Amino acid sequence: INHELAKYMVVGNHVILRDKEGFVHDFTIRKVTTDINNVRMTVYAENGGMDLNNESAQPFTAPSEQKSLEWYLTQAGQPLFDSPIKLGINELSNLKRVISNDSKETKLLQRLITTVNAFDGGEYRLYAKLANNNTTLPVLNLQLDIVKKLGSDISQTFLIDDYNLKELTNETSIVDLITAVFPRGKELDNGTVVDISSIVYDDGTYYTTKGSQYIKNRKAHSEWSYSRFS
């Protein structure tokens, strides 16, 4: 806690790191805990892409003709629809496929993985891109790059406890707990089910966003999980 940077470890502040390949990663501090003796500080921060793991993706039926990967990712209820994440490099832009997904509980992050993988095993990287050279208050944009499959699916590495595995922990958390209602209507003649994904509503307590199928309770969320709305 006496470290010179400790004063910046405040909920809402950002931690910006650059990995060994030069990509920038932006983390928002969500929770700060200090021990009773004010000696140790524990900081919980989330990557900017965590929203993909908090929101559910909508099922979609196969289109009548082949479509590009960008088309699938930008449809309503899909990972890049109405999202601050921008598509950057796309090495699979020349490919087109007919795919579908009827899962009703898939998170946007899992949908991103399965959709990209459906295009010849494609992979992606998500990182923050500095929009200017202002080192005091840099502007960060989240960028998603799509790349061709790298390597094989066969693992050549074995992790063995007390040999090359330094530490293995198991954590249980309710930081993503949200109290919500999942309204479902009748099934229409064309097979689609009526839902609320086209509705935008917010009365301060209950709210839903376009593309979401849930009505969430902001008050319950603040009581039963640490607030994401501060």
Side-chain angles (χ1 to χ4, degrees):
I1 291 180
N2 293 326
H3 193 280
E4 60 181 0
L5 297 180
K7 61 183 179 181
Y8 299 111
M9 298 298 106
V10 178
V11 172
N13 279 0
H14 292 254
V15 178
I16 301 174
L17 304 174
R18 189 182 299 274
D19 64 24
K20 62 181 180 180
E21 295 181 350
F23 292 103
V24 176
H25 300 277
D26 173 37
F27 297 84
T28 303
I29 298 176
R30 298 294 189 183
K31 186 177 182 180
V32 178
T33 305
T34 56
D35 66 3
I36 193 172
N37 297 316
N38 283 333
V39 174
R40 175 178 295 181
M41 174 184 291
T42 303
V43 177
Y44 173 81
E46 290 183 352
N47 180 270
M50 276 297 292
D51 286 342
L52 292 175
N53 202 43
N54 295 332
E55 295 291 337
S56 296
Q58 292 188 43
F60 66 88
T61 56
S64 58
E65 58 183 8
Q66 292 187 338
K67 298 291 185 179
S68 67
L69 174 57
E70 182 176 0
W71 184 89
Y72 285 105
L73 294 179
T74 55
Q75 297 304 295
Q78 305 311 312
L80 298 188
F81 175 75
D82 194 25
S83 170
I85 301 173
K86 304 303 179 184
L87 184 61
I89 297 172
N90 184 3
E91 295 182 355
L92 305 178
S93 60
N94 62 321
L95 299 181
K96 292 186 177 182
R97 297 287 185 270
V98 173
I99 60 176
S100 64
N101 195 309
D102 60 1
S103 174
K104 298 180 176 62
E105 299 300 328
T106 302
K107 297 296 184 181
L108 287 176
L109 181 60
Q110 183 61 38
R111 178 63 54 79
L112 172 63
I113 295 172
T114 56
T115 304
V116 172
N117 190 253
F119 281 73
D120 290 2
E123 301 179 10
Y124 75 91
R125 56 174 172 254
L126 179 63
Y127 58 97
K129 190 172 184 179
L130 295 173
N132 61 19
N133 295 321
N134 186 339
T135 56
T136 303
L137 292 173
V139 177
L140 295 170
N141 295 322
L142 285 177
Q143 180 165 315
L144 178 76
D145 287 350
I146 306 296
V147 297
K148 297 178 181 179
K149 182 178 180 179
L150 303 174
S152 68
D153 295 329
I154 301 176
S155 174
Q156 302 295 329
T157 302
F158 295 90
L159 300 178
I160 303 173
D161 193 19
D162 290 332
Y163 177 65
N164 59 353
L165 182 61
K166 182 178 180 181
E167 182 180 8
L168 186 64
T169 61
N170 181 33
E171 179 179 346
T172 302
S173 173
I174 61 169
V175 295
D176 293 323
L177 180 65
I178 292 178
T179 300
V181 177
F182 183 38
R184 301 290 287 176
K186 68 176 183 178
E187 183 173 338
L188 303 179
D189 294 338
N190 61 4
T192 61
V193 178
V194 176
D195 58 35
I196 63 169
S197 59
S198 61
I199 297 175
V200 177
Y201 177 80
D202 191 337
D203 64 9
T205 299
Y206 301 100
Y207 73 100
T208 184
T209 55
K210 188 174 182 180
S212 173
Q213 299 185 54
Y214 297 88
I215 299 176
K216 303 173 185 178
N217 187 323
R218 185 176 281 110
K219 181 179 179 181
H221 184 262
S222 65
E223 292 179 355
W224 297 104
S225 181
Y226 72 88
S227 177
R228 296 179 185 277
F229 308 101
S230 57

